[in-house]
Structure formats: structure tokens, C-alpha cells
Amino acid sequence: MRLHTLPLGLALVLTSGVAAAPHVSNNADVVVPNDNRLHAGRLVNGVLTVRLQARTAIWRPEGSKGPIITTAAFAVEGERLQIPGPLLRVPAGTEIRATVHNSLLQPMWLYGMGNKRGMADSVAIPAGEDREISFRASEPGAYYYAARTVSKSVVNRGPHDSQLGGLIIVDSAGVRPDARERFFAITMWGSQDPTVESGINANSLFAFNGQSWPRSERFELTQGDSAHWRFVNISSFDHPLHLHGFYFRVNAKGDGVRDTLYTAAEQRMAVTEYVAPFQTVALSWSPDRSGNWIFHCHFAGHIAASGAFDADRTILKPHASGLHGTNEHRMRGLVLQMSVKPRGSVTMAGNAARPIRLIVRSKTKVYGANIGYSYALGGTPDEQDTTMKVPGPVLELARGERVAINIVNRTHENAAIHWHGIELESYSDGVAGVSGEGRRILPMIPPGDSLTVAFTPPRAGTFMYHSHSNEFQQLASGLYGAIIVREPGATKDPNERLIMISDDGPILSFKNPKDFPRALVNGRLLPDTMDVAGGVTARLRLINIRAEFPSDVSLLDGDKPVQWRIVAKDGMTATPLQSSARAAAMLIAPGEIYDLEVVVPPGAVRTFRVALPDAPPHLFPPTLLTVRGR
Ligand SMILES: [Cu+2]
């Protein structure tokens, strides 16, 4: 089963929330965020006994200053409610005997507690009643339980039901669990607000373990440590999870029914991993550089600052929402911060660096009435071009050659640039208020100002740069470009081509998915024909930097996918298993990068198709690029 969110899904989720009757709570229960370090219940002689209860309470995912949300959640009976719900963690083979009490005013359907696991099991619990559930946790892995009341589907749950769920972690029998391993539930709360243009209630937000940035958990690591993180996505949305500065290894992936632990040959390295609703993923990574770093969802709306959805996008004036008037990055939602202490002395690279001047501009009435942005290289004719053309210039870098990039902000608001996928020093990483260490923290670049950052790319491959400020608007409206790092002395391969997928302007409203921006390919809705040498291997460097949407991409002969090979993912050389020839059709999420090899015979014509997943083509026309073998 493939589950996506999608624009359509979003509309559905928010709509299903409107009809939800508010549950009235008799007590002043306040939810406790659950960091999933302590498990619930009593384990005796291979049986875990636990009593759970669903109630309604107040949730403050951003602490005492943020939104006050009333929602249903789970508790250990008689204790305070938790988001996510109490952790059930047992060795494989354990029998779990749960008594679940439904203290809500509606009947509840509970999923994931049963021998079949995931959506395959459900139990109905009438309002005010108990059910006893017994099942065996037979297979090691990460799973979930999740419930719905007024929502028709547990996958597309409305706001009131959206926090009804928790993690089930099954450890291998006889193996001492790794105490360093951490577990994260991803949840979302959101509802409609028909009085604002975006249609989204300004309190809508996403959370890791019940907390939204800047309240989400902070991690202290030391250079050379390793972190082992499992994510269980019990939100109705997909999330491309992105790590700054380092690669992570993907160790396991699951769907709630089965958790597949990868063999050494199946493990893969990435900086962005796409997690569909009710999927699970196990990642590990090791910081070999010190400083502050973030791990976040690459959907701009899932880390959007308060006020971002309904900002005025027509006037070149910083508005009053607080989006721009700060030296910090006012993200919110799915962001974790890690601070890595140096081990021993820190050696910084020298100052000799190739200078690059990168200018950031903005202009009104580029996307209809709305502002457009673009990058231009200083000293090139593009600097005089005021059409705000996209993508930005390709930055051609050499492995091991230090570059010093002077970022010149000629826009009307703060600027910050992230060098996505590059293993660099923290300060240069581009997250204002976070990147850097000690007292040397990267600031925002205010309008009219400039800042120089330097880094030495250690790896040849395809990467990108993009805005890390007001992303919900700036990513969809022009601030992105490719980085190609080559081996020292290597010249451009005549058979390589760049395919960059982006947005044709900002998302103004979620009310009508038909109004969503379409996908641009290399800055065009109707891209020029791309000629490649016939009969020889061409390398396609494919990047998705849409703000909010994954893309189904395929290379078609007529309507049938041809074969291609994935030779790199996120700039890292692919494993032998990844790079075997396969049908040329896959999903690429925002923040993902693939290098693909394909052969187009002489005289043959292929179509590179970029479509919104699971969306009817007559409402969401795909963007088509003709590729011709010469
Ligand atoms: Cu997300």
C-alpha cells in the first residue's frame, strides 16, 4: 500500500476536522510530552500488562507561550495524558495484555494492537467502555498503535483524533537493548480556518514526541559519537526527513505491519529519507565535525514559522508577523537541534579560498501578483537580468578546493543559504541562530547586508543550495540552485544534464488543491527539448526542491518506463544494490537528489515526466520534458 499526503490528502484531513464535535473535558488535564525513554506497563514472566485510557486534555506543544490545543490522547490509566501515547516496549515473544478504556464521548476504533499489527488489526471500543486486548509481539522492530473516533479513516485523521497513538517497540529477544537508541513519534495537529486566505488555522503544527520547535528536544553529542534514531510517522502526512552536515545510514524501514531490518548490502546512505504516513524508519549517523546542526522535515510548510501561511506575498516590505525581524530562524514544527562538542582540538581550514559572489534579489509581480526571488553570480550578465529567472546559477566546485561565498542580500527581507548535502563546518551551514558553535553563531543577513561563508567540499557529486529563511515562500518562489562538485581537474562531462524540479510560485491557499503551483522543470512549465548523445550513457543529475510536494518521475518510451541506473543518492555513490538497472519510475521528495544513468538510442525520443503522486492528471497536469537521442 502506498500512502501519500498530497494536496488532496491535506484538504481531506482538514475538512474531516471541521465536522468534529468538540469533546468537553471535565478536568484540567494537561498533556505531558513523551520522550519515549520510559515504557509503560509491568513485564512479568513474558507478559506485559498495561492499562491505557483515552481522554481529552490541553496540549501545549510549544510550551507556555505557544498555542493551546484541546485534543484526545492516551494515558496510562489514572496518570497524565501523553503525546505520543505511552510507549509499549518489550522483547520479542512477549504477550501484551492491554486493557483500553475509552473515556471519550464517541466510540473509538483502535488499530495496531493485534497479532497482524498495523492497520490490519482493529478493535471497536464504545464510549465509556473497556476492552481487553491480548496479542504477541513476535517480530522485532518499530510499530505503532493509533485510534480514531470522529474521523472516517485512521490514516486521514481529523485534529481531534490526530494525537491518539503511540509506539510499540519490539526488541530482539535475549539481546540487551541499545540504551542510546531513541524513538520519535511524528504527529500533526491542524484544522481549517475559512477566514484566512490559506484556509489553515494558524495553530496547526507538527511535533516530534509531542513537542514542536523551538520546544523540541535538544541533543548533546560529542564528535565521533553515533546516534541511533527511529521514527514512527503516525501523522496523516509524509515527511522527507533531512539531516544537515552529515549523511545518515538507513538501517530499517517498516509500515507498521512489517519492519524490515536491512542487511549490510541493503543499507544505504542519504541526507534525506522520505517517510510516508504510518511508515517507520531507523537511521544512524555519526557527527565527525563539531557545532550545532539540525534535522528537519524538508516540506517547508512543516517547519514554517507562525504567520508564514498568510503572509502578504505581494509587497516588498517585511511584514509584522515576526518572520523577518530577527537574527534567528523562526522555524516551527518538525525540527530537532543537535550540539556536537569537539573532541580534542579543532583545526580549521586555511583562508586561501576561491571567491564566489552570490547575489540574492527579490521583485514584485513575478508569480502573478506575488514576489519572485532569484540568485545571480556577481560579475555575470545575470546580475543585470531582472526577470528573476530560476533555477539559480549552477555552482561548479572542485573536491578539496575551498570556496568563500560572499552572499549579498538585495532582497527586502532576511536571507540565509543552506548548502544541502555538503559536509562542511557548522557555521557555514546556513541556519541563522543555530549554525556555528560557542559564541560564534551564524546570523541572518539583513536586507542590504552581506556575509561570507567558506567550505571545502570533500566529495564529488550533485548537491544544491537553497534558502533557509522564510522557506515556505522563498523556496517556492525562486531561491534554489544546483551545486556540482567535480574531482580536481575534471571537466564537465558532455553527456551530463541537470534536471531541477521546483515550484511555479508560492502556495497561497490550501482550500482548493487546483490552485496549487505546478512543477517547473529547469525553471519552465514547458521545458525545452533536451538533446543527449544517442547510444551512449548520459548522466542525469535530478533534484527536487519543490517546497511542499513530492514528484513521481519517470522516463518513458511512449507510455512505458525505460531502464535507468541510480548511480548516486544525495551526492553519495550508490551501493551495488541501489545501482542495478531498474524501471525508470520513482518518487523523489523535496530535498532528494539522484544521479541517474540512462542510454537513449540515436533518433529515439523519450519523455521525462514529472507528476504529482496519486493526483488525477486532468486536474494536476504533469510537466513533460522531451529527451532526444542525437
Ligand atoms: Cu514533514
Side-chain angles (χ1 to χ4, degrees), residues 206 238-240 297-299 302 334:
F206 291 84
D238 44 354
H239 306 288
C297 176
H298 218 287
F299 283 143
H302 296 190
L334 291 182

Side-chain angles (χ1 to χ4, degrees), residues 30-31 114 175 221 292 372 390 467 475 481 501 512 556 572 595 630:
V30 177
V31 163
V175 178
L221 298 161
N292 301 326
V390 293
S467 161
L475 285 186
I501 303 168
N512 189 351
L556 305 171
M572 173 72 85
D595 282 31
R630 300 307 299 262

Side-chain angles (χ1 to χ4, degrees), residues 137-158:
S138 52
E139 299 293 327
Y143 308 92
Y144 58 81
Y145 60 93
R148 65 183 173 90
T149 62
V150 290
S151 310
K152 289 201 173 63
S153 143
V154 73
V155 178
N156 284 315
R157 291 187 288 177

Side-chain angles (χ1 to χ4, degrees), residues 350-410:
N351 286 330
R354 185 184 129 205
I356 292 175
R357 191 171 154 82
L358 191 61
I359 297 160
V360 198
R361 298 97 49 91
S362 61
K363 189 183 148 185
T364 52
K365 296 185 181 146
V366 173
Y367 298 97
N370 302 295
I371 296 162
Y373 305 79
S374 79
Y375 291 121
L377 279 179
T380 67
D382 277 352
E383 197 180 339
Q384 311 308 323
D385 181 293
T386 55
T387 61
M388 300 294 117
K389 78 177 179 191
V390 293
V394 175
L395 299 185
E396 294 267 358
L397 310 181
R399 181 175 62 78
E401 184 193 36
R402 194 158 181 80
V403 286
I405 303 179
N406 180 226
I407 305 165
V408 181
N409 182 4
R410 291 196 189 137

Side-chain angles (χ1 to χ4, degrees), residues 369-607:
N370 302 295
I371 296 162
Y373 305 79
S374 79
Y375 291 121
L377 279 179
T380 67
D382 277 352
E383 197 180 339
Q384 311 308 323
D385 181 293
T386 55
T387 61
M388 300 294 117
K389 78 177 179 191
V390 293
V394 175
L395 299 185
E396 294 267 358
L397 310 181
R399 181 175 62 78
E401 184 193 36
R402 194 158 181 80
V403 286
I405 303 179
N406 180 226
I407 305 165
V408 181
N409 182 4
R410 291 196 189 137
T411 75
H412 61 289
E413 59 187 11
N414 283 338
I417 303 181
H418 171 54
W419 317 95
H420 179 120
I422 303 277
E423 298 146 282
L424 41 45
E425 43 271 64
S426 174
Y427 183 82
S428 303
D429 185 57
V431 186
V434 173
S435 300
E437 59 190 303
R439 293 165 65 182
R440 187 169 179 257
I441 301 296
L442 184 81
M444 278 289 184
I445 310 170
D449 212 336
S450 70
L451 177 87
T452 300
V453 295
F455 59 88
T456 310
R459 189 183 302 278
T462 310
F463 306 94
M464 67 170 138
Y465 62 102
H466 62 72
S467 161
H468 227 304
S469 174
N470 190 15
E471 296 90 342
F472 186 71
Q473 181 171 355
Q474 293 192 356
L475 285 186
S477 310
L479 289 186
Y480 46 83
I483 298 175
I484 297 177
V485 182
R486 298 181 196 284
E487 290 297 332
T491 52
K492 186 176 172 176
D493 176 352
N495 291 317
E496 70 174 48
R497 297 287 182 274
L498 183 67
I499 299 179
M500 195 160 199
I501 303 168
S502 63
D503 283 307
D504 187 24
I507 298 174
L508 300 176
S509 166
F510 289 90
K511 289 175 193 164
N512 189 351
K514 281 190 300 192
D515 295 337
F516 288 156
R518 287 181 57 193
L520 300 177
V521 169
N522 294 338
R524 308 279 299 272
L525 282 173
L526 298 168
D528 293 335
T529 294
M530 182 178 274
D531 284 337
V532 297
V536 299
T537 301
R539 175 179 281 238
L540 306 179
R541 298 178 184 266
L542 175 64
I543 302 173
N544 186 357
I545 189 58
R546 295 202 73 180
E548 224 57 42
F549 307 117
S551 297
D552 267 338
V553 293
S554 51
L555 188 65
L556 305 171
D557 176 5
D559 59 2
K560 273 184 49 193
V562 300
Q563 298 263 300
W564 65 24
R565 283 177 200 280
I566 295 169
V567 293
K569 167 78 203 297
D570 299 340
M572 173 72 85
T573 304
T575 63
L577 203 66
Q578 277 179 299
S579 62
S580 58
R582 65 186 65 208
M586 65 178 181
L587 181 136
I588 179 170
E592 288 195 298
I593 301 172
Y594 285 94
D595 282 31
L596 304 162
E597 282 187 356
V598 66
V599 178
V600 181
V605 172
R606 303 283 182 250
T607 304

Side-chain angles (χ1 to χ4, degrees), residues 162-174:
S162 62
Q163 310 305 313
L164 280 170
L167 270 52
I168 301 174
I169 301 295
V170 183
D171 297 307
S172 296

